[in-house]
Amino acid sequence: MTIGRTGGRQRSSSARQAVLCATAELLDEQGYGKITIEGVAARSGVAKSTIYRWWKSKPALVMEAQAEAVAQRMPEPDTGSVEADLIAFAAALYRVVEFPLRVEALRGMMAEAQLDSDFAGHFREWVQSRRKVMSDILSRGVARGELAADLDLDHATDLIFGPFWYRLLVAHAPLDPADAPAHITRLLAGLRRPSVG
Amino acid sequence: MTIGRTGGRQRSSSARQAVLCATAELLDEQGYGKITIEGVAARSGVAKSTIYRWWKSKPALVMEAQAEAVAQRMPEPDTGSVEADLIAFAAALYRVVEFPLRVEALRGMMAEAQLDSDFAGHFREWVQSRRKVMSDILSRGVARGELAADLDLDHATDLIFGPFWYRLLVAHAPLDPADAPAHITRLLAGLRRPSVG
Amino acid sequence: MTIGRTGGRQRSSSARQAVLCATAELLDEQGYGKITIEGVAARSGVAKSTIYRWWKSKPALVMEAQAEAVAQRMPEPDTGSVEADLIAFAAALYRVVEFPLRVEALRGMMAEAQLDSDFAGHFREWVQSRRKVMSDILSRGVARGELAADLDLDHATDLIFGPFWYRLLVAHAPLDPADAPAHITRLLAGLRRPSVG
Amino acid sequence: MTIGRTGGRQRSSSARQAVLCATAELLDEQGYGKITIEGVAARSGVAKSTIYRWWKSKPALVMEAQAEAVAQRMPEPDTGSVEADLIAFAAALYRVVEFPLRVEALRGMMAEAQLDSDFAGHFREWVQSRRKVMSDILSRGVARGELAADLDLDHATDLIFGPFWYRLLVAHAPLDPADAPAHITRLLAGLRRPSVG
DNA sequence: ACATAACCGAGACGGTACGTCAGGTCTTGAC
DNA sequence: GTCAAGACCTGACGTACCGTCTCGGTTATGT
């Protein structure tokens, strides 16, 4: 049982694909900063007005192109051990650095989220969905008694994503997947004994 | 026999002040994203070309306006105890949130650093100077034996700045100066016993 | 037994009426210049493609809406006297000025006829049909011997329609129905003695 | 002694010329209806924004291009005889038809004046300046006693310009410079004996 | 004192991209 | 086979700022 519109031409999925594809290619070739709607229109052969019909702005477009391109989602490890889960999770996270263009796009989206409050909302939602994977790991650890019941989930999650994004954005030092285990070990030491002086 | 310029009018400090002041006001009223050079020129009564003579770009201008406005530098606490020093440092850091406009400007500069590689360099330098204050605190702690000699200074520093920036940029949760002591305590627990299983 | 099309839905006369009616209303409310096909479609509830199916362009649509709205045709006076006939004709002609919206539409159609050669043809036909009424009056005058046999009908007709349209279009001076008798008297003086030096 | 601005770069007369020239060329090649600002910008090599700085709209631009191109003004004959003056004037007027592109442009401007009230004002001024030449001729005739003192100058002038424009716009019959003397003779016959029954 | 030079204001200029608008065509599914 | 709906391409619109470039005029030197 369907609701809603009956008439009207269907949205062209080929136009949609062409746009997302052209966006991804341009991201690749010129980087986030040089993407323009006009450029995407020209490359994809889709009219500018059609792009504006479906995407509100450049970052919205890029975000969808990214999501489309990623497809393979982050792993959601569940081995029965917080430490193992977190190490797997962090290692996977850190591995983005091996794909410079995805890094570029991530940085661009974070930048736009600062400059455009409309986009910020969508971006924040996406970020939250990423955070959830990690806080689920922690929750399971709490349930198993591996972590204190009064754990500050938000801060704990920040201790992974914060430094991750910070290095991505500031680039003061390389982000190395090999460091993930050490980082997690250190993190857990802090979480398990929050009141040790 | 002299080198360089021999005559010529001096740089007008009033023009410089007017520009920085107008920039600060516009930052206040409309936010970083809506700042334009033309707007600053109009507001300050200084010619656009004069602004371009002295500042390379909008973020460079904003960064200087910020620095001018901040003036009072971050404290560099040295009490003899790593924990006390770090708590003082973090608390001061977190207190930016009490000045929404400075927050806005920080976010804007971070954004620009992602989009403009020329600016990224200057921004990174400024970030490094902030980091140095904290790593000095840690170094003193190592020297006093409070912390392990093989401490990963970079990562430790990231554990403060990372979550700080992350909350600033993503705004998924408020940043509360009152949380600083707890965060530092947790951090130190991780740093002191890096290999505890 | 019918000829031609055998199946299919009949043209909806309600759609036709809705379109013409919406056009007339919009002409009224916003004037010719602001009429758009999309606006007519929205107002009438008729699909844009349906409008395009039946009318080739905006001015064609407006011209039909006008013709529909006017219905009452120009008088075709025949009193037996050229002068009386012409005065009646001119007075009726000049009275359009009392209907500003018809004036607006006339001006709009004249404008379109300049810009769109397809429309120009239809418009010219319509204009010719108006001219015919006057040249018939003159022809009768010639037949009765009131006017010279070698009268230049075209130019004589232009001497009424020319100034009429000119004032309508240039609006340098008001067009006053009360002036009609004087204009006709002057006109006839010229026509009767074409060779007086 | 000059008044006004002291600073600022001077308006580039080469840019101005290039624009007017390109406009004239495009008028020539494609006609008024197909002129676009973007086309003029492309052809002239002048930036679109520069064109918009100096001309409010396409018809304003075309009007100036016309005025520039005409340069040689309409004659202002003064032979001492109304009839001779008017014949010279009308003949010159009718001769536009020998320049199809000027005709096209005149028609386009008249059309725009109907559709755009801002432009209508400028256009009307220009029209008035043309009318003045003719009404001056008539005024001199009145002063010399060749014409009645209570002559309706406006209507008399309309009797030349009205049919002229009418033929230009409706194109129901060709406009022939050779007809000018006959038209004037007929006109004068009407003007001299306005009350002959 | 006065030339030199760098400064400053104003603002025109060539550009790029914006986001919008309307035009006219095409597709879908309902009637 | 017509209709409403509405997606689509096309092309131009007028605007906003960009960063560069004259201009005319204004200080500070240093000889």
Side-chain angles (χ1 to χ4, degrees), chain B:
Chain B
M1 166 179 168
T2 59
I3 299 171
R5 45 186 263 171
T6 55
R9 183 175 176 173
Q10 245 46 37
R11 173 172 183 184
S12 156
S13 68
S14 69
R16 181 173 177 276
Q17 276 309 319
V19 168
L20 293 176
C21 177
T23 303
E25 286 171 21
L26 289 171
L27 266 178
D28 179 349
E29 291 164 25
Q30 311 176 197
Y32 181 89
K34 298 206 172 155
I35 292 270
T36 64
I37 300 284
E38 299 217 325
V40 171
R43 162 78 73 121
S44 65
V46 167
K48 206 166 51 152
S49 52
T50 301
I51 298 179
Y52 278 107
R53 194 192 314 277
W54 300 109
W55 292 277
K56 210 208 152 189
S57 64
K58 166 174 117 171
L61 172 57
V62 170
M63 202 160 80
E64 186 164 337
Q66 276 299 104
E68 194 86 351
V70 174
Q72 75 278 15
R73 305 183 40 75
M74 287 285 289
E76 307 197 13
D78 187 2
T79 63
S81 150
V82 214
E83 181 154 19
D85 284 359
L86 286 178
I87 287 175
F89 178 80
L93 185 65
Y94 287 13
R95 263 196 291 276
V96 230
V97 300
E98 291 162 7
F99 306 90
L101 306 172
R102 282 177 58 193
V103 170
E104 163 91 6
L106 286 175
R107 305 203 318 161
M109 289 192 297
M110 177 63 93
E112 289 296 338
Q114 306 311 309
L115 303 172
D116 174 350
S117 63
D118 284 346
F119 177 64
H122 296 97
F123 181 69
R124 194 146 45 236
E125 276 177 34
W126 177 76
V127 163
Q128 292 289 20
S129 72
R130 302 275 134 182
R131 291 175 64 81
K132 177 128 202 318
V133 176
M134 175 159 170
S135 50
D136 285 351
I137 293 173
L138 292 172
S139 297
R140 285 197 299 272
V142 171
R144 281 192 300 261
E146 290 181 277
L147 298 168
D150 62 348
L151 178 64
D152 180 345
L153 273 182
D154 255 349
H155 184 238
T157 308
D158 288 359
L159 286 173
I160 290 299
F161 283 106
F164 165 77
W165 273 107
Y166 184 61
R167 291 215 173 179
L168 227 53
L169 298 173
V170 175
H172 66 285
L175 187 64
D176 186 349
D179 291 340
H183 290 173
I184 292 302
T185 302
R186 224 166 282 149
L187 166 68
L188 287 175
L191 298 183
R192 283 193 188 114
R193 292 164 188 80
S195 52
V196 169

Side-chain angles (χ1 to χ4, degrees), chain C residues 8 34-35 45 62-63 65 92 133 151 154 169-170 196:
Chain C
K34 297 205 172 157
I35 293 271
V62 170
M63 203 160 79
V133 177
L151 179 63
D154 255 351
L169 298 173
V170 175
V196 169

Side-chain angles (χ1 to χ4, degrees), chain A residues 123-174:
Chain A
F123 181 70
R124 192 145 46 235
E125 276 178 34
W126 178 76
V127 163
Q128 293 289 19
S129 73
R130 301 277 134 180
R131 291 175 62 82
K132 178 131 199 319
V133 176
M134 173 158 172
S135 51
D136 284 350
I137 294 175
L138 292 173
S139 297
R140 286 195 299 273
V142 170
R144 282 192 300 261
E146 289 181 276
L147 297 168
D150 63 345
L151 178 64
D152 180 343
L153 274 181
D154 255 349
H155 184 238
T157 308
D158 289 358
L159 286 172
I160 290 299
F161 283 105
F164 166 76
W165 272 106
Y166 184 61
R167 289 214 175 179
L168 227 54
L169 298 172
V170 175
H172 66 285

Side-chain angles (χ1 to χ4, degrees), chain D residues 31-52:
Chain D
Y32 179 89
K34 297 206 173 155
I35 293 269
T36 65
I37 300 282
E38 299 217 323
V40 171
R43 162 78 72 122
S44 65
V46 168
K48 202 166 54 152
S49 53
T50 299
I51 298 180
Y52 278 109

